[in-house]
């Protein structure tokens, strides 16, 4: 029932560590999800820089930021300034081009504290690649939740379990946050054979879970076979992200750009290098330069299945 297991590759982003899950050399996407990072967990000392991502551009995707702990301040060149806190969603659609920054508010940085969350990129379908950029923030009743007998589930985006999040997506997908107590059993949304989604995966953010007769631990993504209908059992208190959807077609990814054609990526590179993409209001004194050769996801071993 398991197609592949992907181990997150730990990367230091200048004092802050992430676990890079997607893209992977032999599995570039799961549904429309083309990038997945686990941010932290980290505990910043008072007065530390914490999160400090300078303005940078995107095309052809939506970014989805979701936190378990901490706070991040988002600014973009559509004029939006928005803090995100645990259990909320920042959804930014780049379309033909957007520039944003992600930083810790100076007052929060002075206090220090924990930071833990997930960042996903969702590739846009071809007909939406050149749409105007926009940003939306969602919280509370926008994100349906369930809490009973040791299982907490929040629908972060898309449709699953008969519920629909208010997050406005561009293609069929689901993204669910589980908090599982030891011994709790549950199941992902149905697969293709049961009239559900074509591609599904589970990412263990903390703890450990049993899938079939195998146990998986924090930092592992389990990509399910299309027709698999597994029962998931928590071995200990665990945090799991469940995600997937329908493929949108092959995509190229170069640095922060995602597109269905090389021409779109080349045009975005030229625009950023020439300074033709506006920086965010209130955060326009610095930016990340276009790299000569962006880092690419390095090969990492998968577990045998």
């Amino acid at each position: 029932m398991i197609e592949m297991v992907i181990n997150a590759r730990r990367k230091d982003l200048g004092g802050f560590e992430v676990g890079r899950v997607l893209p992977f050399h032999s599995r570039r996407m799961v549904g429309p999800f083309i990038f997945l990072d686990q941010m932290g967990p980290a505990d910043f000392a008072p007065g530390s820089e914490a999160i400090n991502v300078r303005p940078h551009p995107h095309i052809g995707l939506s970014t989805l930021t979701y936190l378990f702990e901490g706070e991040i301040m988002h600014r973009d060149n559509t004029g939006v300034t928005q803090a995100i806190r645990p259990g909320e969603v920042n959804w930014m659609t780049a379309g033909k081009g957007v520039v944003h920054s992600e930083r810790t508010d100076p007052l929060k940085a002075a206090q220090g504290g924990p930071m833990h969350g997930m960042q996903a990129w969702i590739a846009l379908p071809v007909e939406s690649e050149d749409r105007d950029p926009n940003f939306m923030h969602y919280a509370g009743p926008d994100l349906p939740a369930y809490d009973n007998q040791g299982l907490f589930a929040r629908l972060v985006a898309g449709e699953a379990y008969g519920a629909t999040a208010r997050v406005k997506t561009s293609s069929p997908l689901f993204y669910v946050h589980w908090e599982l107590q030891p011994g709790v059993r549950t199941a992902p949304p149905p697969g293709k054979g049961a009239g559900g989604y074509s591609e599904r995966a589970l990412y263990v953010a903390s703890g450990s879970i049993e899938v079939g007769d195998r146990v998986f631990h924090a930092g592992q993504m389990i990509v399910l076979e299309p027709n698999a209908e597994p029962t998931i059992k928590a071995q200990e208190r665990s945090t799991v992200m469940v995600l997937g959807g329908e493929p949108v077609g092959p995509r190229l990814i170069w640095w922060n750009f995602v597109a269905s054609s090389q021409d779109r990526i080349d045009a975005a590179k030229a625009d950023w290098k020439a300074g033709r993409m506006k920086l965010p209001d209130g955060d326009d004194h610095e930016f990340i330069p276009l790299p000569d050769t962006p880092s690419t996801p390095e090969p990492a071993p998968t577990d045998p299945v």
Side-chain angles (χ1 to χ4, degrees):
M1 69 178 69
I2 297 171
E3 180 178 306
M4 178 181 293
V5 178
I6 302 172
N7 295 317
R9 290 87 69 202
R10 303 306 297 181
K11 291 181 174 288
D12 188 336
L13 301 184
F16 181 63
E17 196 171 73
V18 301
R20 179 71 38 85
V21 188
L22 293 174
F24 185 62
H25 70 99
S26 57
R27 182 75 194 216
R28 309 299 289 178
M29 303 170 69
V30 176
F33 289 81
I34 194 168
F35 178 97
L36 187 69
D37 264 4
Q38 180 177 1
M39 303 181 291
D43 194 1
F44 296 117
S48 66
E49 192 173 63
I51 303 294
N52 188 29
V53 182
R54 293 169 290 160
H56 57 280
H58 291 285
I59 65 164
L61 56 82
S62 293
T63 65
L64 192 167
T65 306
Y66 181 80
L67 300 182
F68 308 123
E69 295 182 287
E71 179 179 311
I72 299 174
M73 184 65 69
H74 162 98
R75 289 182 176 85
D76 67 45
N77 65 351
T78 72
V80 171
T81 297
Q82 176 66 56
I84 181 172
R85 301 175 180 91
E88 302 175 349
V89 167
N90 273 3
W91 180 280
M92 181 184 72
T93 297
K96 62 186 179 184
V98 75
V99 180
H100 77 132
S101 64
E102 295 168 298
R103 304 187 191 258
T104 300
D105 181 271
L107 293 177
K108 295 288 184 181
Q111 298 169 5
M115 174 60 63
H116 190 198
M118 305 294 300
Q119 186 162 81
W121 296 357
I122 295 98
L124 294 173
V126 171
E127 62 271 17
S128 298
E129 283 186 297
D130 289 327
R131 59 164 291 176
D132 290 335
N134 74 344
F135 176 92
M136 296 295 292
H137 178 79
Y138 300 91
D142 294 333
L143 312 175
Y146 171 88
D147 193 355
N148 189 35
Q149 297 183 343
L151 167 64
F152 171 81
R154 177 181 287 118
L155 182 58
V156 177
E159 297 184 29
Y161 307 113
T164 303
R166 293 180 185 171
V167 177
K168 187 178 172 76
T169 63
S170 298
S171 64
L173 63 86
F174 69 94
Y175 194 32
V176 179
H177 168 202
W178 285 344
E179 290 289 338
L180 308 174
Q181 295 300 319
V184 166
R185 295 175 184 269
T186 185
K192 186 175 181 179
Y197 290 100
S198 298
E199 299 184 0
R200 298 164 298 153
L202 311 161
Y203 179 71
V204 185
S206 68
S208 57
I209 60 173
E210 184 179 320
V211 183
D213 59 354
R214 300 178 61 190
V215 175
F216 301 94
H217 302 278
Q220 292 188 296
M221 171 178 273
I222 304 102
V223 181
L224 299 172
E225 292 281 0
N227 295 327
E229 301 299 336
T231 295
I232 313 302
K233 179 182 177 182
Q235 296 290 300
E236 56 185 308
R237 183 175 178 178
S238 302
T239 300
V240 181
M241 302 305 291
V242 194
L243 60 116
E246 300 307 313
V248 293
R251 287 294 182 273
L252 302 171
I253 181 168
W254 189 95
W255 192 40
N256 300 316
F257 304 140
V258 169
S260 60
S261 74
Q262 187 63 47
D263 287 346
R264 280 190 170 97
I265 288 179
D266 290 343
K269 289 162 64 175
D271 285 343
W272 185 243
K273 190 171 184 178
R276 289 191 288 266
M277 300 176 77
K278 181 180 180 293
L279 298 176
D281 293 336
D283 195 353
D284 58 358
H285 297 301
E286 58 179 348
F287 59 88
I288 301 176
L290 186 78
D292 293 327
T293 305
S295 60
T296 55
E298 73 279 17
T302 57
D303 291 341
V305 296

